[in-house]
Amino acid sequence: MVGTMAKIDDSVKKKVPELRFPGFTDDWEERKAKEMIKTHHFRSYLAEPNDVGNYEVIQQGDKPIAGYANGEPFEYFYDVTLFGDHTVSLFKPTKPFFIATDGVKIISADEFDGRYFYVTLERYKPASQGYKRHFTILKNEDIWFTTNKDEQVKIGTFFKQLDDTIALHQRKLDLLKEQKKGYLQKMFPKNGAKVPELRFAGFADDWEQRKLKDVTERVRSNDGRMDLPTLTMSASSGWLDQKDRFSGDISGKEKKNYTLLKKGELSYNHGNSKLAKYGVVFSLTNYEEALVPRVYHSFKALENTSADFIEYMFSTKLPDRELGKLVSSGARMDGLLNINYDDFMNIHISIPNYEEQILMSTFFRKLDDTIALHQRKLDLLKEQKKGFLQKMFV
């Protein structure tokens, strides 16, 4: 896509973008947003979202479609963008619509192609300042723009194609995550069952009920090496280097008490989060050795037990029923649940023979690798878009 554009010489950069489609040389103009933006009356288009209806009802935030409604919608969708006053969210409608609240501003600009206007707002919208009215801030922004309609259309179309590609990759990623969720539900026995609903061919034996302590043993302390990667655990992303998560190593003096974890060993982070009410278990896969917080319950799988299998078994949330019974008085001051190591080790798990564990672990690990690959592609596309927004505007 970049091959069809030309880089602009540094001497004239101030009034034109760094990257531009060939054939356009005029200077861009600068004005206050409030001199161009016009708002449309919204009260006639407020609607209660329902599960069914002919038209979308749009709300603020990253999940714009609140539901559906019938009636007489806002028809002139091509020219307008919807701006979330509190969330600084932007939505480009592609069909007639209703809005869910008065915090959704319906805005346009007479001198702008509809798609170009949306992209211009993406480039110049203010940073979020919490639960404030951001439309007033937006109106005071200085905006550079081209008055050439042909150039506007080219830029708008370019970003529309990029957004469509990003949306396609997002759908693929969401589908893969849903597939994984479905396999986790079907390939592990539901509470009380002795076999799963879905199984690899050649396996028919009942799964065994074991206590976690029967198939694992504790990992604790370290050997004094403090130059190893220092990790933390996130319910959504698994193991992360503290430098990446917190922009620095936050272990401080406590680091000397961290646990040395080796590849294939596991930790249970008994912190409560929206994604994991009773904490998460992850196996160390991306590092040969690392230091992890002592407050995590760290352990390793014994012979004929797969560490990856244990990780995936915990990700089904099947152990949550027992973990929930162990929580004595909610979260501690440090945000961790009151689940000690011995109690954690006494929970019951359902486990098949080692060969089946390995097949299942390999299956889910490959699925995770595919998800990670799609996530990287998506992140790269979003970064590319960010770069184009900088270079294709002044």
Side-chain angles (χ1 to χ4, degrees):
M1 288 192 282
V2 191
T4 59
M5 294 181 219
K7 281 195 99 172
I8 307 301
D9 184 76
D10 284 351
S11 62
V12 293
K13 260 187 196 176
K14 288 179 182 176
K15 292 185 178 179
V16 295
E18 183 183 336
L19 207 56
R20 204 168 186 187
F21 287 102
F24 300 103
T25 54
D26 294 344
D27 284 352
W28 283 30
E29 290 188 18
E30 184 188 25
R31 281 193 228 163
K32 287 280 182 196
K34 62 186 172 188
E35 294 173 23
M36 300 173 291
I37 291 177
K38 67 177 186 181
T39 55
H40 298 259
H41 294 296
F42 62 86
R43 296 213 177 273
S44 310
Y45 308 108
L46 282 169
E48 191 71 34
N50 295 298
D51 292 337
V52 291
N54 293 325
Y55 305 102
E56 292 172 347
V57 180
I58 309 302
Q59 64 183 353
Q60 300 188 61
D62 55 6
K63 291 183 179 174
I65 300 168
Y68 303 89
N70 292 317
E72 295 183 22
F74 188 95
E75 294 278 0
Y76 306 103
F77 59 86
Y78 182 82
D79 291 328
V80 303
T81 290
L82 306 186
F83 178 78
D85 204 359
H86 298 301
T87 61
V88 206
S89 58
L90 293 169
F91 180 78
K92 180 71 194 83
T94 56
K95 58 187 99 168
F97 62 87
F98 289 100
I99 58 171
T101 67
D102 63 357
V104 180
K105 302 293 182 189
I106 306 172
I107 57 177
S108 65
D110 286 340
E111 297 173 54
F112 285 68
D113 168 76
R115 279 188 189 146
Y116 178 70
F117 179 59
Y118 171 75
V119 179
T120 303
L121 291 174
E122 283 196 297
R123 171 64 179 82
Y124 291 109
K125 71 177 184 178
S128 174
Q129 297 182 25
Y131 199 73
K132 275 191 174 182
R133 292 281 186 178
H134 292 88
F135 187 51
T136 305
I137 304 169
L138 172 67
K139 285 191 289 186
N140 284 306
E141 294 286 332
D142 294 314
I143 285 178
W144 284 89
F145 64 101
T146 176
T147 56
N148 187 309
K149 278 293 169 72
D150 290 336
E151 187 174 17
Q152 288 188 8
V153 169
K154 271 189 175 291
I155 294 170
T157 302
F158 173 84
F159 279 99
K160 170 71 166 61
Q161 290 169 345
L162 192 52
D163 283 342
D164 288 347
T165 306
I166 288 170
L168 177 65
H169 278 74
Q170 185 68 62
R171 285 196 296 275
K172 284 181 180 176
L173 182 63
D174 292 343
L175 182 61
L176 280 167
K177 287 179 177 178
E178 281 302 308
Q179 285 177 333
K180 181 186 173 184
K181 196 187 293 184
Y183 282 127
L184 284 169
Q185 287 173 353
K186 291 185 176 184
M187 291 177 70
F188 287 82
K190 305 266 192 311
N191 284 313
K194 291 186 176 179
V195 293
E197 184 183 335
L198 196 62
R199 205 168 187 184
F200 286 103
F203 297 99
D205 293 343
D206 287 354
W207 286 30
E208 290 184 18
Q209 280 283 316
R210 306 290 293 274
K211 285 189 174 180
L212 189 56
K213 68 180 180 183
D214 297 334
V215 295
T216 64
E217 69 178 22
R218 191 167 198 172
V219 173
R220 58 205 312 183
S221 71
N222 63 67
D223 59 10
R225 286 179 293 150
M226 295 291 111
D227 58 344
L228 294 170
T230 310
L231 308 185
T232 187
M233 193 190 286
S234 145
S236 59
S237 307
W239 289 112
L240 298 168
D241 194 307
Q242 289 188 4
K243 289 174 185 173
D244 297 330
R245 180 76 189 274
F246 306 112
S247 302
D249 188 329
I250 62 162
S251 56
K253 291 179 181 177
E254 180 59 24
K255 189 171 184 175
K256 66 181 185 296
N257 297 318
Y258 269 39
T259 302
L260 171 59
L261 207 65
K262 296 180 179 179
K263 193 170 190 175
E265 296 178 342
L266 305 112
S267 289
Y268 169 50
N269 175 2
H270 47 115
N272 169 286
S273 71
K274 280 183 182 177
L275 284 178
K277 189 177 180 182
Y278 297 109
V280 283
V281 170
F282 283 107
S283 166
L284 189 65
T285 57
N286 295 337
Y287 300 85
E288 290 300 321
E289 296 179 309
L291 294 170
V292 306
R294 182 177 60 162
V295 290
Y296 296 167
H297 298 331
S298 295
F299 56 102
K300 63 183 178 183
L302 295 176
E303 197 176 349
N304 290 327
T305 304
S306 160
D308 282 352
F309 173 83
I310 290 175
E311 175 187 319
Y312 289 117
M313 184 270 302
F314 272 96
S315 70
T316 65
K317 307 277 193 263
L318 289 170
D320 280 9
R321 185 182 291 183
E322 273 197 76
L323 291 171
K325 291 175 184 175
L326 297 177
V327 181
S328 52
S329 56
R332 306 182 325 200
M333 290 295 286
D334 56 9
L336 296 171
L337 299 167
N338 281 310
I339 298 175
N340 65 47
Y341 180 83
D342 289 334
D343 287 343
F344 175 62
M345 281 289 136
N346 273 310
I347 69 167
H348 294 85
I349 62 168
S350 197
I351 195 164
N353 70 38
Y354 186 60
E355 191 183 348
E356 191 171 2
Q357 290 177 45
I358 294 298
L359 276 174
M360 291 177 66
S361 301
T362 303
F363 173 80
F364 280 109
R365 194 59 75 193
K366 281 181 179 173
L367 194 50
D368 275 348
D369 289 345
T370 306
I371 288 170
L373 178 66
H374 278 74
Q375 184 67 63
R376 285 194 297 273
K377 283 181 181 175
L378 183 62
D379 292 343
L380 182 62
L381 280 167
K382 288 178 177 177
E383 280 304 308
Q384 286 177 332
K385 180 182 176 182
K386 212 180 284 184
F388 283 130
L389 281 171
Q390 289 297 320
K391 291 183 176 183
M392 291 175 69
F393 284 83
V394 179

